[in-house]
Amino acid sequence: MQFPEWIKPALLGVGAGAIAVSIIGFNWGGWVTGGAAAEMSSDDSAAAVVVALTPYCIRKSRNDPGAPAILAELEDASSYQRHTVVEDAGWATPLGAEEPSRELADACESALSNDT
């Protein structure tokens, strides 16, 4: 079977075009793999949970009878230890969770620092 003479350059052009479109799409077009999309979705949902629970953390801090001492400790703590103070106070532990959330503690500490 004889193929027309134009088939080989056409197939090479199609292959080169597919490679070029893939490179452009992934580098500049915003295309992502399924794993990257899942990771971005997970990060976004965790950030949304932190935003939603920050008022809960602030409310827990205001209702805590030992809050003045904890806030004084928070003020005296270095910047990298502040989230630990909020975690130890129990303010960054969401309802039903056994462990405090580091991200929630950071957001709560930041909100408490802005309030004072």
Side-chain angles (χ1 to χ4, degrees):
M1 180 168 167
Q2 279 294 52
F3 290 106
E5 199 173 294
W6 57 268
I7 289 288
K8 184 176 180 180
L11 291 177
L12 289 173
V14 167
I19 291 170
V21 165
S22 297
I23 290 171
I24 291 169
F26 280 105
N27 287 326
W28 299 290
W31 298 355
V32 293
T33 62
E39 185 177 331
M40 287 189 294
S41 174
S42 177
D43 292 346
D44 288 346
S45 65
V49 168
V50 167
V51 168
L53 290 180
T54 299
Y56 166 76
C57 179
I58 301 298
R59 171 107 11 147
K60 279 182 83 172
S61 72
R62 290 188 179 141
N63 292 338
D64 189 348
I70 296 169
L71 290 174
E73 182 183 349
L74 183 64
E75 196 171 305
D76 292 339
S78 62
S79 62
Y80 64 91
Q81 292 175 329
R82 291 176 183 243
H83 69 88
T84 306
V85 173
V86 175
E87 288 174 354
D88 291 344
W91 298 343
T93 305
L95 289 174
E98 296 194 17
E99 294 292 321
S101 166
R102 166 80 184 259
E103 294 81 14
L104 180 57
D106 288 337
C108 186
E109 181 272 321
S110 177
L112 288 170
S113 296
N114 291 338
D115 280 351
T116 58

